[in-house]
Amino acid sequence: IEAADRGVKVRLLVDDMDARGKNYKFAALAAHPNIEVRMFNPFGSRTGALQFAFEAMGSFSRINRRMHNKTWIADNRIAIVGGRNLGDEYFGADAEVNFVDLDFAMIGPVVRDASASFDRYWNSEVVYPIALLSPETVNPESLQQLRGKLALAIEEAKKGKYAEALRRDDSIARLVGGDWPMSWTGTYRFIADDPSKATLDPDRKNSHVLAAILPLLRDAQQDMTIISPYFVPGKSGTTSLAEAATAGKGIRILTNSLAANDVAMVYGAYVEYREKLLESGVQLWELKPLPGSKTTYSMFGSGGSSLHTKGLSVDSATLVVGSYNLDARSTELNTEQVVMVGSPELARKFMGIFDQQASGDRSWKVTLSDGHTSWT
């Protein structure tokens, strides 16, 4: 709103699965003359749990197709792309539940690629303006009411522990002051699924991201380092990883433990392939809930802190970061995007992040002995 007030043209493209519950806020934003809001694959009903349930049951095959991409672009000059959603828990700001995440901040020609992809999604047939979906809520009164609520929320947030931690953090101060250490490379690819993937029958052939990653993994000569919060490699993926490990390549994988996973069903699917991976020599770690977090359990998984980073490095030279999990949902159902860069410097930094997250105070090492799985 502050950007729009000073004349900046703001476009918000939001996946509607979680956004529907905040419909009035997005509609209020769209009342600003400088803000446009559009929803990806939206629900027809905009309010009410019962209406949500009926529509989800009646149109499940459509509603189950989501936009998982995450992109921020400013002035077509700088872009942030990665796995991070917009919410307190994705920035370490929640009192109880937080996610470990990773992004690229990028300048240069790659930003034009990100912008072109955004425009393809913005103008796709599965995207609808909120003003069309909820016209009665897009009005100046709603915007004014939202301004008032935000003003109170901001004043309250300034008094919190998170704001205090930001004020004390030297790295944040340097960042705000313009101290941005950059790594330069001319070897890069911005890869995004076509938005029409949401209208096609589920098929791994529709994943542009997978099509780019598979040759990278297949041609690896020495090592692979993978971080994926939802890791369900499937039969063919498991076979490929196992063959690579058997051939002497160093394969390291970090994923969520059951205690840290926010979707228990995904962990159950991963367990099916774990033993074969371990037998072949693949090294596995599972993240613990972060120290100090409150962890609760349900049929859906943990209510504590969780891994959300999605990235992989190959041969300590190529790094891929983005929204793509190594699982069937990312491959067949969601639209996804990644950035692939040839940069030994960035690959080493990523491997350092892996080492930090896989250390004994943050993760369990998973091993197999006499057919028994152990966590140490």
Side-chain angles (χ1 to χ4, degrees):
I1 291 175
E2 289 178 348
D5 286 346
R6 65 176 184 266
V8 176
K9 300 295 184 182
V10 179
R11 291 189 294 167
L12 294 175
L13 176 57
V14 188
D15 185 82
D16 197 42
M17 178 57 78
D18 292 328
R20 180 187 178 278
K22 309 172 185 69
N23 184 73
Y24 81 95
K25 296 180 182 179
F26 288 111
L29 286 171
H32 196 295
N34 285 334
I35 300 178
E36 288 185 81
V37 181
R38 295 186 182 181
M39 297 297 174
F40 184 92
N41 193 22
F43 283 77
S45 62
R46 304 311 300 166
T47 58
L50 194 59
Q51 292 90 330
F52 176 91
F54 277 126
E55 187 170 0
M57 287 188 294
S59 307
F60 180 78
S61 59
R62 178 183 73 84
I63 296 301
N64 196 32
R65 315 301 289 274
R66 307 315 322 169
M67 179 185 69
H68 202 228
N69 317 27
K70 299 98 167 55
T71 310
W72 292 69
I73 306 165
D75 292 338
N76 214 28
R77 297 182 65 190
I78 182 167
I80 298 174
V81 171
R84 195 181 313 263
N85 293 303
L86 176 57
D88 286 356
E89 62 270 32
Y90 296 96
F91 294 84
D94 193 276
E96 296 184 8
V97 179
N98 285 293
F99 292 96
V100 181
D101 226 314
L102 184 68
D103 312 286
F104 276 142
M106 310 178 298
I107 61 175
V110 67
V111 179
R112 293 197 292 270
D113 296 340
S115 292
S117 177
F118 182 95
D119 286 340
R120 279 196 298 275
Y121 275 78
W122 183 259
N123 295 309
S124 73
E125 62 180 342
V126 292
V127 168
Y128 291 76
I130 190 94
L132 183 65
L133 297 168
S134 188
E136 71 284 354
T137 322
V138 181
N139 56 65
E141 292 75 22
S142 296
L143 177 59
Q144 192 58 36
Q145 185 180 34
L146 182 60
R147 286 180 184 272
K149 290 182 178 180
L150 288 173
L152 293 174
I154 289 170
E155 289 306 311
E156 190 65 26
K158 288 179 179 178
K159 306 170 188 175
K161 292 181 180 179
Y162 185 69
E164 178 60 29
L166 292 183
R167 286 190 287 267
R168 293 197 312 266
D169 193 300
D170 182 60
S171 62
I172 297 290
R174 293 200 309 272
L175 187 73
V176 173
D179 180 10
W180 287 42
M182 302 296 291
S183 299
W184 298 94
T185 177
T187 306
Y188 70 89
R189 288 179 65 191
F190 178 93
I191 304 136
D193 291 333
D194 193 288
S196 66
K197 180 182 178 184
T199 67
L200 304 174
D201 291 336
D203 192 325
R204 60 184 296 172
K205 294 178 182 178
N206 298 327
S207 174
H208 295 184
V209 173
L210 180 65
I213 289 177
L214 281 180
L216 183 68
L217 299 179
R218 185 180 59 242
D219 297 339
Q221 299 297 308
Q222 298 173 339
D223 58 72
M224 302 178 206
T225 299
I226 299 170
I227 302 178
S228 182
Y230 302 155
F231 178 67
V232 187
K235 291 182 179 179
S236 61
T238 300
T239 299
S240 296
L241 290 168
E243 289 176 349
T246 303
K249 299 170 187 177
I251 314 295
R252 303 191 302 163
I253 299 168
L254 172 64
T255 190
N256 277 313
S257 64
L258 179 59
N261 205 311
D262 64 333
V263 184
M265 291 177 288
V266 173
Y267 186 86
Y270 143 73
V271 166
E272 180 181 345
Y273 307 103
R274 184 171 58 199
E275 186 172 325
K276 182 176 180 179
L277 291 169
L278 292 171
E279 285 176 342
S280 69
V282 172
Q283 298 184 75
L284 281 176
W285 285 262
E286 295 181 7
L287 191 81
K288 302 175 182 178
L290 291 185
S293 66
K294 296 180 181 178
T295 306
T296 57
Y297 300 95
S298 72
M299 65 174 290
F300 300 106
S302 164
S305 299
S306 184
L307 182 71
H308 203 250
T309 299
K310 308 118 173 43
L312 65 93
S313 67
V314 174
D315 292 339
S316 306
T318 303
L319 176 60
V320 180
V321 169
S323 66
Y324 180 79
N325 290 297
L326 287 167
D327 71 352
R329 168 162 281 281
S330 283
T331 301
E332 298 181 1
L333 298 176
N334 292 344
T335 66
E336 307 282 356
Q337 67 183 29
V338 298
V339 177
M340 182 184 298
V341 296
S343 170
E345 179 185 1
L346 288 178
R348 285 194 298 271
K349 287 184 178 181
F350 175 76
M351 293 169 73
I353 291 171
F354 184 101
D355 291 340
Q356 182 186 55
Q357 296 299 329
S359 61
D361 60 336
R362 299 194 181 190
S363 294
W364 288 291
K365 178 70 183 294
V366 188
T367 55
L368 193 66
S369 178
D370 297 325
H372 297 289
T373 307
S374 299
W375 289 259
T376 55

